[in-house]
Amino acid sequence: MLETKGLCAGYGGADVLHGVTARFLPGRVTGIIGPNGCGKSTLLKTLAGLHKPTAGQVLLDGVSVPDLPPQQSARNIAYLPQSRNVPEITALRMVLHGRFAYLSYPRRYRPQDYEAARRALDWIGAGDLAEKSVSALSGGQRQKVYIAMALAQDTDIVLMDEPTTYLDIRNQMEVMALARRLAELGKAVVMVVHDLGAVLRNADEVLLLHDGRVTACGSPAEVYASGRLQPAFGVAVHAVDTPDGIQYYCTPV
């Protein structure tokens, strides 16, 4: 299990996160939400071991994540950043990058690595993209390829920073569905998502950050009922019971 205890982290001597204590459970999708600048991306990078805490702990099954060797960390935690360069390589070669943690130097892919990469592409329904250049793919297709790369990495934890940004509605829904499928494989999926309604509809757990502190956490219904969403976002959040379940929408205050 991945967890934080009293976590503080920041930049240039100024903390952005203040005493964050949270757990991210296997088989669950956790949505991290909050206004811009509240520390969402910093939290994700610190969970991944890419940013060192100034205080507190990040623990994976009781072991400090910052103390893990990089290769061991990469075998346990997959991290998809908010933005990345678009390389001139095929989708299959991109997905193969997820196998780096299992290769010795010099890195030479083995038959089992190619098999894992192709299986991951097939799993997301993108096997036909294997030989296409990543730069020629649509935004939604690229995001699927990156998720396939995380799947090929074969970790128990998948961290995704704003994976639905710049995607149209259909692709946003497909990415959220893929996150759900990853959780069904038993993985702990942690997502930073700006679409408040999408998080409340799709996540199992929600962590609300405001000014670098956790102001609400729990199920979507519990976070909605906490009354903390309006102060954090400056909008009124409403819930409507529909035949497809509770749907959430926002209006100006």
Side-chain angles (χ1 to χ4, degrees):
M1 180 181 68
L2 185 65
E3 60 182 325
T4 65
K5 294 183 177 181
L7 177 66
C8 299
Y11 307 92
D15 281 344
V16 175
L17 299 175
H18 308 281
V20 173
T21 296
R23 297 191 305 165
F24 306 95
L25 302 176
R28 310 283 282 177
V29 175
T30 301
I32 300 176
I33 60 175
N36 289 340
C38 71
K40 301 184 296 297
S41 293
T42 300
L43 175 56
L44 219 62
K45 290 176 183 176
T46 310
L47 289 175
L50 301 176
H51 191 72
K52 289 192 176 296
T54 57
Q57 296 175 295
V58 181
L59 301 172
L60 176 62
D61 297 330
V63 178
S64 173
V65 169
D67 295 335
L68 289 174
Q71 188 175 41
Q72 184 179 349
S73 180
R75 291 184 178 186
N76 288 278
I77 303 171
Y79 169 68
L80 300 183
Q82 179 178 351
S83 60
R84 56 183 73 82
N85 293 326
V86 181
E88 290 288 344
I89 60 174
T90 66
L92 179 63
R93 297 296 294 186
M94 188 77 244
V95 176
L96 277 167
H97 287 181
R99 302 299 300 167
F100 276 10
Y102 301 95
L103 304 179
S104 56
Y105 187 84
R107 293 189 175 109
R108 290 192 178 94
Y109 295 119
R110 305 157 298 173
Q112 56 263 44
D113 299 314
Y114 282 96
E115 181 182 352
R118 291 189 183 279
R119 188 167 57 245
L121 280 168
D122 288 340
W123 186 86
I124 65 164
D128 60 323
L129 302 178
E131 302 306 323
K132 293 186 178 181
S133 174
V134 174
S135 64
L137 301 180
S138 69
Q141 289 172 326
R142 285 179 197 163
Q143 201 60 269
K144 290 178 184 178
V145 169
Y146 296 136
I147 292 173
M149 181 175 65
L151 182 62
Q153 195 170 333
D154 195 23
T155 63
D156 290 331
I157 298 158
V158 179
L159 310 177
M160 295 189 278
D161 195 356
E162 300 188 29
T164 61
T165 300
Y166 305 126
L167 300 184
D168 61 31
I169 297 298
R170 181 177 64 83
N171 281 296
Q172 288 179 28
M173 294 174 68
E174 288 183 357
V175 168
M176 297 302 291
L178 285 171
R180 167 64 51 207
R181 288 178 60 197
L182 288 171
E184 289 170 356
L185 294 177
K187 301 179 185 294
V189 180
V190 185
M191 309 174 70
V192 169
V193 181
H194 272 299
D195 187 333
L196 186 57
V199 172
L200 294 174
R201 284 193 304 272
N202 294 285
D204 299 300
E205 311 286 338
V206 176
L207 185 74
L208 173 62
L209 289 178
H210 191 198
D211 294 331
R213 294 176 171 81
V214 177
T215 59
C217 62
S219 70
E222 289 170 335
V223 171
Y224 170 74
S226 72
R228 299 300 180 91
L229 292 172
Q230 181 170 320
F233 290 98
V235 297
V237 183
H238 310 276
V240 178
D241 197 4
T242 76
D244 295 321
I246 296 177
Q247 304 294 315
Y248 299 89
Y249 68 97
C250 302
T251 59
V253 177

